[in-house]
Amino acid sequence: MKTVKFAFILSAAVQSTVAALTASNLKTNVDVLDLDFTFGPVKASYWTGYPHHRRTPFAVSPDGKSAYIAYLDSNETDVHVQPIDPTTFKATGTTVTITGAKEAGGLVAQNDGFAVMVNEPMPSGTENAPPSGTPVAAIYRYTDGTQTWKTWLGGPNVHPDDGLSMSPDINGDLVYSAAAGLYGAYIVVTDYSGNAAGHFGDSIEYVYDNGTLDMIQGASSSWGCSHNTGIAFEAADEAPFASICAEDQGAIWLNSKGTGMMNSGVKISNENTTNGGSGEPMGGMSGSFSGLARFASTTNYIFSWVSRGAIDLTENTWMGSGYTHSINRTNPRNVAIAMLSDKYTKVGAQATSEVGATSGDDQVNWITEGANDCSNAHAATFDTDNALVTWEEISDPICDFIAMGCRGTFAGSFFQQVDSTGAKVGDPLKSTDVYVAGDMVTMSDGRVCWPYVSMTWDLSEAVPYSGSSASTQKMSFACISLDGSASSSSAASSSAAATSSASSVVAGSSVSSVSTTEAAKAASTGSSSVSVVTSPSVSSSVVASSSVVGSATASAAAATTPTTLETIARSSSSVPRIGSTAQSSESSTLVSSAASPQASSGEDGEECGDGSEAASSAPIATATPATSLPVVSAVASSAIASSISSVQASIISALPSSDIPLSSVSAIASSLSSIQASITAAAPSATASVPAHPHGGEGTPTTLAELYQWLSDCLAALKQIMDTKQRR
């Protein structure tokens, strides 16, 4: 959360004893800002392709007199920084364009201008630049409309002894401390030289007011959390700043001290990690903003995230003592918060690392505990005593992936007031047409405001492989105040003007949804009034995927342009462990989310996710059956993963008799054939092999329990082979 100078004028009535938030506390300014360029408000998530809000960084100057919003052009090249009036949210001044930039990754407003973090290819001819024009993160500082300096955060000459890094996706944040005179950037990186070449991690960099990059001992880091799956970052009075990361080995860490995922840090939460994912705790792609907020001038912070909870802890043997794996407690995700007394210290107990513990989430302060799936969690503070936690919900969620997001019917955005102890104040306020899509900023009068696009928000389907066609030149702003006095002035237009490649369309809150195919048909007949939802209908078929529920017969479904990996729909709210009795809900058949209960182990612990950020703009690439392994696309890997995960799910459905002979389960036999066909088609020229029985076992698996382990390790080995081959 970005904050301006804490010159609050709120009275004693605006303390934690105030009543719950109501509609009078939320004020909207719909379509108030005319953007100078078009903006695409939908970002496809990694792996699933499910729609996320594309972040629009927003910042207000310390004196409260100026504000800026940054956004990526709809052609996904060039970042625009537009000055706006912090009172009316209308455009002022001249827009600055960072030509060639690929992501608006963070924004800080100053009294005389702004600093913006982007990623962009290095100039042609740069020695030791990343290959193929892969972007590198950089900070631009503008003073009175003129560029003052530019500082690269990766590439040549930035911690060269540790390996050179690039950032295909930043997915992090930029903050500033006036007390320290430092900008802090926390970003996702992948190295292109050194021991970590080809792998993903994260980096924390500090830049002084004059643009000088400094490697601060104990604060800066070239490589912190392995395959970072979420970042929360907030300024402090001196380096290091407060930082939190989610990684691919099973935890969320408060890593202000240590900057990595060492168990000398504070473990905030145990999370199941599978295939490089941990449930998008901080929002996934385009979501790592406004997750960690400081209570005004105090040393206290609040952190928000979403989690499936954790049960049945086992040792992470690759990482060693103090590191654990866990199984999800629930299928849908719920919202949680943690309070920090300072940047190093969590209030209350940290998450347990006790191997064998049946419960791994006793320390969690849950904001929600329902059957809806929660996502897009953020936090902001009003003052020293009150905070705002917000999230979105999906009703009757379909959670196809053990460690990713879910899909289903959008049930609204929720806004919950909490006090500085983490206690909820009243019930949450619900809105079905306001979303948090940009930084939540504490204004000089105590309001919390943020930008969003007024549109129909559909979370039921994946974004097409080609990307969302929705775009707009309108931006809305919403504000919440504790005393209900947040000012509001709706623009004349009530919905954002959006365009698609098919026709001129509207993406406002009253728009009905049709697919892009229907829009194209309308365009061919001359219609210009077709309504297009931001996440058009797409095919969910996957090459060689087999969906198994209970004893249903598995099958392989082929598709020429698959857009997402579909494994199995999990609708239960309780997750058993293998060997336990499944407890299904009245309205659903249990299929465990523990299809792959542990983060895959291997040479470096990252084989099940490396390359994800680089391919995030195309969640699943296409490939023909004849594609050889060295150049095989993500589709082949996903197809195999789909088949294996389906078999794993069928094993769980057969509980508690995990020693049942394989020959008696026809669905498994059928699925095994699908897996074999997938491997053969996807990798005809494979030079690497998958072990017949992992970890020294002899012969082929003969029981469900043996097959379960065999498939888990087989999936890890296949993914490692494919990722390694693709990088060569």
Side-chain angles (χ1 to χ4, degrees), residues 425-478:
V425 179
D427 295 325
L429 169 66
K430 175 182 176 180
S431 174
T432 57
D433 57 5
V434 174
Y435 327 102
V436 176
D439 297 55
M440 302 177 73
V441 175
T442 305
M443 312 297 280
S444 59
D445 59 3
R447 292 176 300 153
V448 172
C449 301
W450 64 90
Y452 70 100
V453 172
S454 179
M455 60 182 176
T456 298
W457 190 228
D458 184 358
L459 297 176
S460 64
E461 297 175 313
V463 176
Y465 170 71
S466 59
S468 170
S469 61
S471 64
T472 184
Q473 280 192 258
K474 294 285 188 180
M475 189 66 65
S476 302
F477 284 82

Side-chain angles (χ1 to χ4, degrees), residues 80 122 182 188 198 204 217 259 307 309 380 394 517 556 573 587:
H80 309 291
M122 303 197 83
L182 282 173
V188 171
I204 301 176
Q217 185 67 29
T259 68
S307 174
I394 292 174
T517 302
S573 59
S587 60

Side-chain angles (χ1 to χ4, degrees), residues 469 499-505 516-524 527 530 532:
S469 61
T499 60
S500 76
S501 57
S503 60
S504 177
V505 301
T516 50
T517 302
E518 293 169 319
K521 291 178 180 179
S524 67
S527 172
V530 177
V532 179

